[in-house]
Structures are given as C-alpha cells and as structure tokens.
Amino acid sequence: MSNYLKSELYRLVRKKAFYFFLAICMLGPLIVTLLTATTGGELYANTEFAFKSAMNMWSLVFIIVPIIVSFLVSDEFTDGALKNTVAYGITRSTVFYGKWIMELLFLGISWLVTYISLTASVFLLLQNNGTTHFMDFTASIAGVLPLVLAALTVSHCLCFLTEKPLPHLVSYALIIIALPELYFMFAHGIPAWREIVDRVPLFPYAAANDFFWMKSNGLLLCWIIGTAYVLLAFLTSARWVKTKEFK
C-alpha cells in the first residue's frame, strides 16, 4: 500500500489540474473578499458578515466532492488502466482504498488552502468585528467534516461501481442531494418523520445546511452518522469492486 500511495502522490503532484484547483481554492476567497470590501459598505464589509456567509456555504463542499473523486479515480477506467494496474501485482483492494486515501489527502490540502486564504483575506481587507464569528466558523469545521467524509466515501464507491463520470455524478446527486429533498417533501405532513431528521442527522447534505452540530449532542451525532455512512458504503461496495469485471 505504501508504495502505491507514493506512486499516486507522485502522479498527483505532476498534474497541472492539481495546481489549477489549488489556485482556485486560494484565489476564490480572495476575490470574493475584495468584492465585499469594495461594494459591501459598512453593513457588509466586515468580518462578521464574511464568516457568517462562509458558514452558509458549506453546501458547496458537497458539490466539489464528486469532482475531486472523478479527478483522481476516472483515469483508472480509461484504456483498461485498472486491469493493467492489477496485472502488475497491485490488488484491487489496494487501488480501491489507496484512491480513497488520496482523495482524503487532496480534500484536506484544498480545505486548508481555502481556510488560510479566507481567514487571511477577511482579516486583512475587512473591518474587524472581533473573533467571535471567526471562532464559530472554525468550530463548524469539526461538525461538517464527518458529513463531508460521508459524502466523499459514497462518491468514491459510486465512482468505482459506475466507472463513468456521468452515471457517477447523477447517482451521487440523487443519493446525497435529491434524497433528502424527497424525504422532506413526503415527510412534510407526517410529524413523526420530520422529528426523526430533527433529532438525527440522517442526511449529510441536509445536516450541513441545518448546522446540526450546533444542536444538543449534535456534534457527536454528526460523527456517528458520518462514520456509519463510511462503513456502510465500504461494506456494500468493497466485495463488488473485488469481483466486478472492469472494462
């Protein structure tokens, strides 16, 4: 596994798209902060508004997750690359879990770059209203992290099972984003159903939008549900990946 991870890391750092993505992570928050500073006025051009807005944008991470997975995994299904990798003596399990580890690494680096860029640009360019909202934003990372890991793992498993980008993205959108909306639609008139999601973060995307970690025992529940998603995704797909005939 260690040799495979080293090989994958070497491939990653040689991809131009990797640095392009990190550039977006760094410049995106800076550009938004500059626009806020020039057009926001006294009401919006301050650190309180910036960090509150950042907390309301956690849903964007769930949209970026399948893009990261596709970027790192899709090339395994081109021109029989996975078959060739296995032929060289690398097991499917090594590829399957090794790619997941690389996705975690890529996500972590991107997250860190974005966080540093956002924090530095907000405090340097906007009026400082204190650190209260900055601390709230930073603390929210601990709550949203297990929910994002759940989405990442689901996306990873779907990518291996579907092989192609479009089915992967469609199935991910249905499971992670559309399913919560359908549940809330049908549960609208059934108080017992709505109470379930009010007490337990069943859906990572919806829980992130609702700041579920701020509720009583919410942080613990987010980590429990996030871990459950990861384990369930691997349990339902790992054996299939080992036996599936890849083209």
Side-chain angles (χ1 to χ4, degrees):
M1 175 66 81
S2 60
N3 289 334
Y4 178 75
L5 291 177
K6 290 178 183 178
S7 173
E8 285 297 300
L9 183 60
Y10 177 77
R11 290 175 59 188
L12 178 62
V13 298
R14 291 179 63 85
K15 290 184 177 181
K16 294 180 181 179
F18 172 69
Y19 298 100
F20 178 74
F21 188 84
L22 291 184
I24 293 176
C25 293
M26 181 177 64
L27 295 177
L30 176 59
I31 293 172
V32 172
T33 305
L34 283 171
L35 292 173
T36 303
T38 55
T39 63
E42 295 183 1
L43 187 60
Y44 301 113
N46 54 67
T47 57
E48 176 183 350
F49 174 78
F51 288 119
K52 279 185 177 179
S53 299
M55 284 187 63
N56 288 321
M57 297 178 68
W58 280 126
S59 57
L60 287 178
V61 182
F62 290 84
I63 297 174
I64 294 172
V65 157
I67 298 175
I68 291 177
V69 172
S70 294
F71 170 65
L72 292 177
V73 177
S74 60
D75 57 351
E76 288 294 339
F77 304 112
T78 58
D79 301 325
L82 182 59
K83 284 187 175 181
N84 293 333
T85 301
V86 174
Y88 280 113
I90 300 174
T91 65
R92 290 189 177 197
S93 294
T94 298
V95 177
F96 183 61
Y97 292 109
K99 286 289 187 180
W100 181 71
I101 293 172
M102 291 304 300
E103 291 158 13
L104 292 180
L105 178 63
F106 192 3
L107 178 65
I109 294 174
S110 304
W111 204 320
L112 181 62
V113 170
T114 305
Y115 176 80
I116 292 174
S117 176
L118 175 66
T119 302
S121 59
V122 166
F123 278 118
L124 290 174
L125 299 174
L126 302 181
Q127 178 185 345
N128 192 340
N129 298 87
T131 59
T132 300
H133 297 284
F134 165 68
M135 296 304 296
D136 289 342
F137 170 69
T138 302
S140 71
I141 295 175
V144 78
L145 179 59
L147 306 175
V148 173
L149 292 181
L152 179 76
T153 306
V154 170
S155 177
H156 169 78
C157 294
L158 289 173
C159 192
F160 266 85
L161 296 179
T162 59
E163 299 185 45
K164 297 182 180 180
L166 184 57
H168 161 230
L169 295 176
V170 171
S171 57
Y172 172 86
L174 289 174
I175 293 174
I176 296 299
I177 299 175
L179 181 60
E181 297 300 327
L182 291 173
Y183 182 91
F184 285 119
M185 183 185 303
F186 289 107
H188 182 72
I190 307 176
W193 285 19
R194 293 193 63 85
E195 188 175 353
I196 292 175
V197 293
D198 287 338
R199 294 179 177 273
V200 182
L202 289 180
F203 308 107
Y205 179 76
N209 287 333
D210 293 339
F211 305 146
F212 196 92
W213 54 86
M214 299 180 68
K215 298 183 180 182
S216 178
N217 296 322
L219 182 60
L220 176 61
L221 287 172
C222 284
W223 277 97
I224 292 174
I225 293 299
T227 303
Y229 263 83
V230 171
L231 294 177
L232 183 61
F234 281 141
L235 286 174
T236 56
S237 61
R239 183 177 295 276
W240 194 357
V241 169
K242 291 180 182 179
T243 58
K244 180 179 173 63
E245 181 65 28
F246 292 102
K247 298 177 180 180

Short mmCIF file of all heavy atoms in Angstrom, two decimals, residues 103-155:
data_model
loop_
_atom_site.label_atom_id
_atom_site.label_comp_id
_atom_site.label_asym_id
_atom_site.label_seq_id
_atom_site.Cartn_x
_atom_site.Cartn_y
_atom_site.Cartn_z
N GLU A 103 -7.88 10.79 -2.05
CA GLU A 103 -8.98 11.76 -2.08
C GLU A 103 -9.05 12.53 -0.77
O GLU A 103 -9.26 13.75 -0.76
CB GLU A 103 -10.30 11.03 -2.32
CG GLU A 103 -10.43 10.44 -3.72
CD GLU A 103 -11.44 9.31 -3.79
OE1 GLU A 103 -12.22 9.15 -2.83
OE2 GLU A 103 -11.45 8.60 -4.82
N LEU A 104 -8.85 11.82 0.35
CA LEU A 104 -8.82 12.48 1.65
C LEU A 104 -7.68 13.50 1.72
O LEU A 104 -7.85 14.61 2.23
CB LEU A 104 -8.66 11.45 2.77
CG LEU A 104 -9.82 10.49 3.02
CD1 LEU A 104 -9.47 9.53 4.16
CD2 LEU A 104 -11.08 11.27 3.37
N LEU A 105 -6.53 13.11 1.21
CA LEU A 105 -5.38 14.00 1.21
C LEU A 105 -5.64 15.23 0.36
O LEU A 105 -5.37 16.36 0.77
CB LEU A 105 -4.14 13.25 0.70
CG LEU A 105 -2.86 14.08 0.59
CD1 LEU A 105 -2.43 14.58 1.97
CD2 LEU A 105 -1.74 13.24 -0.04
N PHE A 106 -6.17 15.02 -0.84
CA PHE A 106 -6.48 16.12 -1.75
C PHE A 106 -7.50 17.06 -1.12
O PHE A 106 -7.36 18.28 -1.14
CB PHE A 106 -6.99 15.55 -3.06
CG PHE A 106 -7.08 16.56 -4.18
CD1 PHE A 106 -6.67 17.88 -4.02
CD2 PHE A 106 -7.58 16.19 -5.42
CE1 PHE A 106 -6.74 18.80 -5.06
CE2 PHE A 106 -7.66 17.10 -6.46
CZ PHE A 106 -7.25 18.41 -6.27
N LEU A 107 -8.55 16.48 -0.53
CA LEU A 107 -9.58 17.28 0.12
C LEU A 107 -9.00 18.07 1.28
O LEU A 107 -9.30 19.26 1.46
CB LEU A 107 -10.71 16.38 0.62
CG LEU A 107 -11.85 17.07 1.36
CD1 LEU A 107 -12.61 18.01 0.44
CD2 LEU A 107 -12.80 16.03 1.97
N GLY A 108 -8.14 17.43 2.08
CA GLY A 108 -7.53 18.10 3.22
C GLY A 108 -6.66 19.28 2.81
O GLY A 108 -6.72 20.36 3.42
N ILE A 109 -5.85 19.08 1.77
CA ILE A 109 -4.98 20.16 1.28
C ILE A 109 -5.81 21.31 0.74
O ILE A 109 -5.56 22.48 1.05
CB ILE A 109 -4.03 19.62 0.20
CG1 ILE A 109 -3.05 18.62 0.80
CG2 ILE A 109 -3.26 20.78 -0.45
CD1 ILE A 109 -2.18 17.93 -0.23
N SER A 110 -6.83 20.99 -0.05
CA SER A 110 -7.70 22.02 -0.62
C SER A 110 -8.42 22.79 0.48
O SER A 110 -8.54 24.02 0.43
CB SER A 110 -8.72 21.38 -1.57
OG SER A 110 -8.09 20.62 -2.57
N TRP A 111 -8.90 22.07 1.47
CA TRP A 111 -9.61 22.67 2.60
C TRP A 111 -8.69 23.63 3.34
O TRP A 111 -9.07 24.75 3.68
CB TRP A 111 -10.10 21.58 3.54
CG TRP A 111 -11.28 21.95 4.39
CD1 TRP A 111 -11.50 23.15 5.01
CD2 TRP A 111 -12.39 21.13 4.72
NE1 TRP A 111 -12.68 23.12 5.70
CE2 TRP A 111 -13.25 21.90 5.54
CE3 TRP A 111 -12.75 19.82 4.43
CZ2 TRP A 111 -14.44 21.39 6.08
CZ3 TRP A 111 -13.93 19.33 4.95
CH2 TRP A 111 -14.77 20.10 5.75
N LEU A 112 -7.46 23.20 3.61
CA LEU A 112 -6.51 24.03 4.34
C LEU A 112 -6.15 25.29 3.57
O LEU A 112 -6.10 26.40 4.14
CB LEU A 112 -5.24 23.21 4.64
CG LEU A 112 -4.15 23.93 5.44
CD1 LEU A 112 -4.67 24.34 6.82
CD2 LEU A 112 -2.92 23.04 5.58
N VAL A 113 -5.90 25.15 2.28
CA VAL A 113 -5.56 26.31 1.44
C VAL A 113 -6.71 27.31 1.43
O VAL A 113 -6.51 28.53 1.57
CB VAL A 113 -5.22 25.86 0.00
CG1 VAL A 113 -5.12 27.06 -0.94
CG2 VAL A 113 -3.92 25.07 -0.01
N THR A 114 -7.94 26.81 1.27
CA THR A 114 -9.11 27.68 1.25
C THR A 114 -9.28 28.39 2.59
O THR A 114 -9.57 29.60 2.64
CB THR A 114 -10.38 26.88 0.93
OG1 THR A 114 -10.19 26.18 -0.31
CG2 THR A 114 -11.59 27.79 0.81
N TYR A 115 -9.11 27.66 3.67
CA TYR A 115 -9.28 28.22 5.02
C TYR A 115 -8.26 29.33 5.29
O TYR A 115 -8.61 30.40 5.79
CB TYR A 115 -9.13 27.10 6.05
CG TYR A 115 -9.21 27.56 7.48
CD1 TYR A 115 -10.43 27.83 8.08
CD2 TYR A 115 -8.05 27.74 8.24
CE1 TYR A 115 -10.51 28.25 9.40
CE2 TYR A 115 -8.11 28.16 9.55
CZ TYR A 115 -9.34 28.41 10.13
OH TYR A 115 -9.40 28.84 11.45
N ILE A 116 -7.02 29.07 4.93
CA ILE A 116 -5.97 30.07 5.16
C ILE A 116 -6.22 31.31 4.30
O ILE A 116 -6.10 32.45 4.78
CB ILE A 116 -4.58 29.47 4.85
CG1 ILE A 116 -4.24 28.40 5.89
CG2 ILE A 116 -3.51 30.56 4.85
CD1 ILE A 116 -2.96 27.65 5.58
N SER A 117 -6.57 31.10 3.04
CA SER A 117 -6.82 32.23 2.14
C SER A 117 -8.01 33.06 2.62
O SER A 117 -7.95 34.30 2.64
CB SER A 117 -7.09 31.72 0.72
OG SER A 117 -7.44 32.76 -0.15
N LEU A 118 -9.08 32.38 3.02
CA LEU A 118 -10.27 33.08 3.50
C LEU A 118 -9.97 33.87 4.77
O LEU A 118 -10.30 35.07 4.87
CB LEU A 118 -11.40 32.07 3.76
CG LEU A 118 -12.67 32.64 4.39
CD1 LEU A 118 -13.35 33.60 3.43
CD2 LEU A 118 -13.62 31.51 4.79
N THR A 119 -9.35 33.23 5.73
CA THR A 119 -9.07 33.88 7.01
C THR A 119 -8.15 35.09 6.83
O THR A 119 -8.41 36.18 7.37
CB THR A 119 -8.43 32.87 7.99
OG1 THR A 119 -9.30 31.76 8.17
CG2 THR A 119 -8.16 33.53 9.33
N ALA A 120 -7.08 34.91 6.08
CA ALA A 120 -6.11 35.99 5.89
C ALA A 120 -6.74 37.16 5.15
O ALA A 120 -6.59 38.32 5.56
CB ALA A 120 -4.90 35.47 5.12
N SER A 121 -7.46 36.89 4.07
CA SER A 121 -8.05 37.97 3.27
C SER A 121 -9.13 38.72 4.05
O SER A 121 -9.23 39.94 3.97
CB SER A 121 -8.61 37.42 1.96
OG SER A 121 -9.61 36.45 2.20
N VAL A 122 -9.95 38.00 4.82
CA VAL A 122 -11.03 38.65 5.58
C VAL A 122 -10.47 39.58 6.65
O VAL A 122 -10.89 40.74 6.78
CB VAL A 122 -11.95 37.58 6.22
CG1 VAL A 122 -12.86 38.22 7.27
CG2 VAL A 122 -12.80 36.92 5.14
N PHE A 123 -9.49 39.10 7.40
CA PHE A 123 -8.95 39.93 8.48
C PHE A 123 -8.09 41.08 7.96
O PHE A 123 -7.99 42.13 8.60
CB PHE A 123 -8.13 39.07 9.45
CG PHE A 123 -8.97 38.36 10.47
CD1 PHE A 123 -9.00 36.98 10.53
CD2 PHE A 123 -9.76 39.07 11.37
CE1 PHE A 123 -9.77 36.31 11.47
CE2 PHE A 123 -10.55 38.42 12.31
CZ PHE A 123 -10.56 37.04 12.35
N LEU A 124 -7.48 40.89 6.78
CA LEU A 124 -6.63 41.95 6.23
C LEU A 124 -7.42 43.01 5.47
O LEU A 124 -7.02 44.19 5.46
CB LEU A 124 -5.57 41.33 5.30
CG LEU A 124 -4.47 40.51 5.97
CD1 LEU A 124 -3.59 39.84 4.92
CD2 LEU A 124 -3.62 41.39 6.90
N LEU A 125 -8.52 42.63 4.85
CA LEU A 125 -9.23 43.55 3.96
C LEU A 125 -10.54 44.11 4.51
O LEU A 125 -11.02 45.12 4.00
CB LEU A 125 -9.51 42.84 2.62
CG LEU A 125 -8.28 42.36 1.84
CD1 LEU A 125 -8.71 41.56 0.62
CD2 LEU A 125 -7.41 43.54 1.41
N LEU A 126 -11.10 43.46 5.52
CA LEU A 126 -12.41 43.89 6.02
C LEU A 126 -12.30 44.45 7.44
O LEU A 126 -11.35 44.15 8.17
CB LEU A 126 -13.39 42.72 5.99
CG LEU A 126 -13.64 42.06 4.64
CD1 LEU A 126 -14.65 40.92 4.78
CD2 LEU A 126 -14.11 43.06 3.61
N GLN A 127 -13.31 45.20 7.81
CA GLN A 127 -13.37 45.75 9.16
C GLN A 127 -13.49 44.62 10.17
O GLN A 127 -14.31 43.72 10.01
CB GLN A 127 -14.57 46.69 9.29
CG GLN A 127 -14.74 47.28 10.69
CD GLN A 127 -16.01 48.10 10.81
OE1 GLN A 127 -16.62 48.45 9.78
NE2 GLN A 127 -16.41 48.41 12.02
N ASN A 128 -12.70 44.67 11.20
CA ASN A 128 -12.66 43.60 12.19
C ASN A 128 -13.72 43.82 13.27
O ASN A 128 -13.65 44.78 14.02
CB ASN A 128 -11.27 43.52 12.82
CG ASN A 128 -11.06 42.26 13.64
OD1 ASN A 128 -12.03 41.61 14.04
ND2 ASN A 128 -9.81 41.90 13.87
N ASN A 129 -14.68 42.91 13.34
CA ASN A 129 -15.72 42.97 14.37
C ASN A 129 -15.42 42.05 15.55
O ASN A 129 -16.31 41.73 16.34
CB ASN A 129 -17.08 42.55 13.79
CG ASN A 129 -17.54 43.48 12.68
OD1 ASN A 129 -17.18 43.27 11.53
ND2 ASN A 129 -18.30 44.50 13.03
N GLY A 130 -14.20 41.61 15.66
CA GLY A 130 -13.84 40.66 16.71
C GLY A 130 -13.69 39.26 16.15
O GLY A 130 -13.86 39.02 14.95
N THR A 131 -13.38 38.34 17.03
CA THR A 131 -13.08 36.97 16.59
C THR A 131 -14.21 35.98 16.89
O THR A 131 -14.07 34.79 16.63
CB THR A 131 -11.80 36.46 17.28
OG1 THR A 131 -11.98 36.49 18.70
CG2 THR A 131 -10.61 37.33 16.89
N THR A 132 -15.33 36.45 17.41
CA THR A 132 -16.42 35.54 17.79
C THR A 132 -16.91 34.72 16.61
O THR A 132 -17.02 33.49 16.68
CB THR A 132 -17.59 36.32 18.40
OG1 THR A 132 -17.14 37.02 19.54
CG2 THR A 132 -18.72 35.37 18.79
N HIS A 133 -17.22 35.39 15.52
CA HIS A 133 -17.77 34.70 14.35
C HIS A 133 -16.70 33.87 13.64
O HIS A 133 -17.02 32.85 13.02
CB HIS A 133 -18.41 35.70 13.40
CG HIS A 133 -19.57 36.42 14.02
ND1 HIS A 133 -20.80 35.85 14.18
CD2 HIS A 133 -19.66 37.68 14.55
CE1 HIS A 133 -21.62 36.70 14.76
NE2 HIS A 133 -20.96 37.82 14.99
N PHE A 134 -15.45 34.31 13.73
CA PHE A 134 -14.35 33.51 13.19
C PHE A 134 -14.24 32.20 13.96
O PHE A 134 -14.06 31.13 13.36
CB PHE A 134 -13.04 34.28 13.27
CG PHE A 134 -11.82 33.43 13.06
CD1 PHE A 134 -11.55 32.87 11.83
CD2 PHE A 134 -10.94 33.19 14.12
CE1 PHE A 134 -10.43 32.06 11.64
CE2 PHE A 134 -9.83 32.39 13.93
CZ PHE A 134 -9.56 31.83 12.70
N MET A 135 -14.37 32.26 15.29
CA MET A 135 -14.29 31.05 16.10
C MET A 135 -15.48 30.13 15.82
O MET A 135 -15.34 28.90 15.80
CB MET A 135 -14.23 31.41 17.58
CG MET A 135 -12.99 32.20 17.98
SD MET A 135 -11.46 31.34 17.56
CE MET A 135 -11.58 29.89 18.61
N ASP A 136 -16.66 30.73 15.61
CA ASP A 136 -17.84 29.92 15.27
C ASP A 136 -17.63 29.20 13.94
O ASP A 136 -17.98 28.02 13.79
CB ASP A 136 -19.08 30.80 15.18
CG ASP A 136 -19.53 31.32 16.54
OD1 ASP A 136 -19.11 30.74 17.55
OD2 ASP A 136 -20.28 32.32 16.58
N PHE A 137 -17.07 29.92 12.97
CA PHE A 137 -16.80 29.32 11.66
C PHE A 137 -15.78 28.20 11.78
O PHE A 137 -15.96 27.11 11.21
CB PHE A 137 -16.30 30.40 10.70
CG PHE A 137 -15.76 29.84 9.41
CD1 PHE A 137 -16.60 29.27 8.47
CD2 PHE A 137 -14.40 29.90 9.13
CE1 PHE A 137 -16.11 28.75 7.29
CE2 PHE A 137 -13.90 29.38 7.95
CZ PHE A 137 -14.74 28.81 7.02
N THR A 138 -14.72 28.44 12.54
CA THR A 138 -13.68 27.42 12.72
C THR A 138 -14.24 26.19 13.43
O THR A 138 -13.95 25.05 13.05
CB THR A 138 -12.50 28.00 13.52
OG1 THR A 138 -11.97 29.14 12.83
CG2 THR A 138 -11.40 26.96 13.69
N ALA A 139 -15.07 26.42 14.46
CA ALA A 139 -15.66 25.31 15.19
C ALA A 139 -16.61 24.50 14.31
O ALA A 139 -16.76 23.28 14.49
CB ALA A 139 -16.41 25.83 16.42
N SER A 140 -17.24 25.15 13.35
CA SER A 140 -18.19 24.44 12.48
C SER A 140 -17.48 23.40 11.60
O SER A 140 -18.13 22.46 11.13
CB SER A 140 -18.95 25.44 11.59
OG SER A 140 -18.09 26.00 10.59
N ILE A 141 -16.18 23.55 11.41
CA ILE A 141 -15.44 22.58 10.61
C ILE A 141 -15.51 21.20 11.25
O ILE A 141 -15.65 20.18 10.55
CB ILE A 141 -13.97 23.04 10.43
CG1 ILE A 141 -13.91 24.33 9.62
CG2 ILE A 141 -13.14 21.95 9.76
CD1 ILE A 141 -12.52 24.91 9.50
N ALA A 142 -15.42 21.16 12.58
CA ALA A 142 -15.48 19.88 13.29
C ALA A 142 -16.83 19.20 13.09
O ALA A 142 -16.92 17.97 13.10
CB ALA A 142 -15.22 20.09 14.78
N GLY A 143 -17.88 20.00 12.90
CA GLY A 143 -19.20 19.43 12.69
C GLY A 143 -19.47 18.99 11.27
O GLY A 143 -20.08 17.94 11.04
N VAL A 144 -18.98 19.77 10.31
CA VAL A 144 -19.27 19.45 8.91
C VAL A 144 -18.30 18.40 8.36
O VAL A 144 -18.62 17.71 7.38
CB VAL A 144 -19.21 20.74 8.05
CG1 VAL A 144 -17.78 21.15 7.76
CG2 VAL A 144 -19.97 20.57 6.76
N LEU A 145 -17.13 18.24 8.99
CA LEU A 145 -16.12 17.32 8.48
C LEU A 145 -16.63 15.88 8.34
O LEU A 145 -16.46 15.27 7.27
CB LEU A 145 -14.88 17.35 9.38
CG LEU A 145 -13.73 16.42 9.00
CD1 LEU A 145 -13.24 16.73 7.59
CD2 LEU A 145 -12.59 16.53 10.00
N PRO A 146 -17.26 15.27 9.38
CA PRO A 146 -17.73 13.89 9.20
C PRO A 146 -18.81 13.77 8.12
O PRO A 146 -18.93 12.73 7.47
CB PRO A 146 -18.29 13.53 10.58
CG PRO A 146 -18.60 14.83 11.22
CD PRO A 146 -17.56 15.78 10.72
N LEU A 147 -19.59 14.83 7.93
CA LEU A 147 -20.64 14.81 6.92
C LEU A 147 -20.03 14.83 5.52
O LEU A 147 -20.49 14.13 4.61
CB LEU A 147 -21.57 16.00 7.10
CG LEU A 147 -22.19 16.15 8.50
CD1 LEU A 147 -23.01 17.44 8.59
CD2 LEU A 147 -23.06 14.94 8.83
N VAL A 148 -18.96 15.60 5.36
CA VAL A 148 -18.25 15.64 4.08
C VAL A 148 -17.53 14.32 3.82
O VAL A 148 -17.50 13.82 2.68
CB VAL A 148 -17.25 16.82 4.05
CG1 VAL A 148 -16.38 16.77 2.80
CG2 VAL A 148 -17.99 18.15 4.12
N LEU A 149 -16.94 13.73 4.86
CA LEU A 149 -16.28 12.43 4.70
C LEU A 149 -17.29 11.37 4.26
O LEU A 149 -16.96 10.49 3.45
CB LEU A 149 -15.61 12.01 6.01
CG LEU A 149 -14.41 12.84 6.45
CD1 LEU A 149 -13.85 12.30 7.76
CD2 LEU A 149 -13.34 12.86 5.39
N ALA A 150 -18.50 11.46 4.79
CA ALA A 150 -19.55 10.52 4.37
C ALA A 150 -19.86 10.69 2.89
O ALA A 150 -19.93 9.70 2.14
CB ALA A 150 -20.81 10.76 5.21
N ALA A 151 -20.01 11.94 2.45
CA ALA A 151 -20.30 12.21 1.04
C ALA A 151 -19.14 11.78 0.15
O ALA A 151 -19.35 11.23 -0.93
CB ALA A 151 -20.60 13.69 0.85
N LEU A 152 -17.91 12.02 0.61
CA LEU A 152 -16.73 11.64 -0.17
C LEU A 152 -16.67 10.12 -0.37
O LEU A 152 -16.39 9.64 -1.47
CB LEU A 152 -15.46 12.12 0.55
CG LEU A 152 -14.14 11.77 -0.14
CD1 LEU A 152 -13.92 12.67 -1.34
CD2 LEU A 152 -12.97 11.90 0.83
N THR A 153 -16.94 9.38 0.69
CA THR A 153 -16.87 7.92 0.60
C THR A 153 -17.96 7.36 -0.29
O THR A 153 -17.73 6.45 -1.09
CB THR A 153 -16.97 7.30 2.01
OG1 THR A 153 -15.99 7.89 2.86
CG2 THR A 153 -16.75 5.80 1.95
N VAL A 154 -19.16 7.91 -0.18
CA VAL A 154 -20.26 7.49 -1.06
C VAL A 154 -19.90 7.77 -2.51
O VAL A 154 -20.08 6.92 -3.39
CB VAL A 154 -21.57 8.22 -0.69
CG1 VAL A 154 -22.64 7.98 -1.75
CG2 VAL A 154 -22.06 7.76 0.68
N SER A 155 -19.37 8.96 -2.78
CA SER A 155 -18.96 9.32 -4.13
C SER A 155 -17.86 8.39 -4.64
O SER A 155 -17.89 7.94 -5.79
CB SER A 155 -18.48 10.77 -4.16
OG SER A 155 -18.01 11.12 -5.44
#
